[in-house]
Amino acid sequence: VRPVYASWLISPDSHYRDVLKWMNATYGAPKNYFWSIAGAAYYNAEKASNTATPQQIVEVMKQNSIENRKFHTQLKAIADSYGLVYTQYEVGPDNGGGKVENVANRIRANRLPEMRDLVLFDCQNWFASGGGLYMYFASPSGFSRYGCWGLSEDIRQLNTPKWQAIYTLTGTTPPK
């Protein structure tokens, strides 16, 4: 068992540094209690315009992945300062968090071949920056305005762009 302290990526000080400082002062070294700290670094389409094409939405997600690096750098430094591993407990594309505008194109973006490249881009940057486990949120589920979280919309669809990225990352091939 490897205990993980997980919270939001966007608040390194209040959600990680302050908590670990308190824990250290109150109970002792956090590494005696946790193996890692982890965040949920979804790369989202929140900044996409209401008329963005699916391709533009993927590009906005890529830019968000790049913007997330500043948080990764801060959190990695916090983890290192306490002798912990920095991991991600949940990661993947986010299509806009419930927005009702341009829903069809936000969903289409998750079906594009470019989505494979985006998942690979994010993961490769994660490991290049010294990150630990990269736990992709994979649960197949229907895509909607609330999210396109899974690797596919149907558990029988095993060759979607997101699945293709996972196959590349794991060195496996889709079942026949």
Side-chain angles (χ1 to χ4, degrees), residues 83-120:
L84 301 170
V85 177
Y86 177 42
T87 63
Q88 293 204 64
Y89 72 88
E90 212 174 270
V91 67
D94 174 358
N95 74 326
K99 286 186 173 183
V100 295
E101 302 84 14
N102 206 12
V103 174
N105 280 348
R106 290 176 185 275
I107 291 171
R108 286 183 189 110
N110 285 270
R111 297 174 181 153
L112 289 177
E114 291 92 328
M115 185 55 67
R116 173 191 176 275
D117 298 333
L118 174 58
V119 172
L120 293 173

Side-chain angles (χ1 to χ4, degrees), residues 4-58:
V4 175
Y5 172 71
S7 190
W8 288 5
L9 177 80
I10 59 173
S11 302
D13 287 332
S14 62
H15 289 137
Y16 296 90
R17 189 181 317 275
D18 294 349
V19 170
L20 294 174
K21 182 179 177 183
W22 170 84
M23 182 163 191
N24 191 57
T26 305
Y27 297 106
K31 70 180 180 180
N32 294 336
Y33 301 92
F34 299 120
W35 172 71
S36 82
I37 62 171
Y42 284 96
Y43 27 100
N44 71 60
E46 186 175 291
K47 293 181 181 175
S49 78
N50 291 341
T51 59
T53 65
Q55 289 80 6
Q56 291 169 328
I57 291 167
V58 171

